[in-house]
Amino acid sequence: MTNYFEFYGLPESFVLDEAALKRQYYAKSRETHPDFHATSSSENQAEMLRQATLNTDAYRTLSDSDRRMAYILAQHGLLEEGKQEQLPPDFLMDMMELNEQLMELEMEPDAAAQAKVADEASAISQTLDAGIAPLLAGYAELPTDHRPAALQQIRTYYLKKRYLLRIQQQLATFAARS
């Protein structure tokens, strides 16, 4: 499987130079565009189509911060599709209260209580973001031997954010009903 960062000649990083990524994407798009290979062999046309598809997939993945994070974690074997991931017990205890409030809202809708839960989830999310931001920004400069520990912290952050996203989606469903 092609490494998307290597494909674009970019360093593996959670915080990318968006302009550099876009430049690489457009350059690869021009190189692989079918119109420029219409008279070449069918094998070459097939390869250019494969490269164009790879370019699109790589750009979609790396241009979205959540997809990029999941991609990097998966590249390092820290995130497996469909696998039940274990969250830290202290986080789950904190989430138990929010989940209980969600169950109450399910049975007895209350706009004020819903807003309170939404604010709590948002505050937790903002705290997580603020805590991980320096690590994400400095990851590319970390010495190689420090990266595994950093990746574990980022993995935990990613899993917590996914959990909070499910709560926020549930709240949005409640809001749509009322």
Side-chain angles (χ1 to χ4, degrees), residues 34-94:
D35 290 351
F36 298 124
H37 302 280
T39 59
S40 65
S41 70
S42 59
E43 291 84 15
N44 187 51
Q45 287 178 16
E47 176 58 20
M48 288 301 108
L49 179 60
R50 192 186 73 71
Q51 289 291 317
T53 302
L54 174 61
N55 186 38
T56 300
D57 292 344
Y59 183 74
R60 279 189 187 139
T61 299
L62 297 184
S63 65
D64 178 273
S65 60
D66 286 336
R67 285 183 182 175
R68 181 171 55 243
M69 186 176 291
Y71 174 77
I72 293 171
L73 292 171
Q75 287 290 103
H76 290 277
L78 297 173
L79 208 58
E80 294 179 40
E81 195 67 39
K83 182 182 175 210
Q84 184 66 32
E85 300 288 353
Q86 200 60 38
L87 285 159
D90 59 332
F91 178 76
L92 291 174
M93 290 300 290
D94 292 342

Side-chain angles (χ1 to χ4, degrees), residues 99-110 113 174:
N99 281 313
E100 287 171 1
Q101 292 174 34
L102 283 174
M103 285 190 288
E104 289 172 17
L105 285 171
E106 184 80 55
M107 311 249 195
E108 206 174 299
D110 175 348
F174 293 158

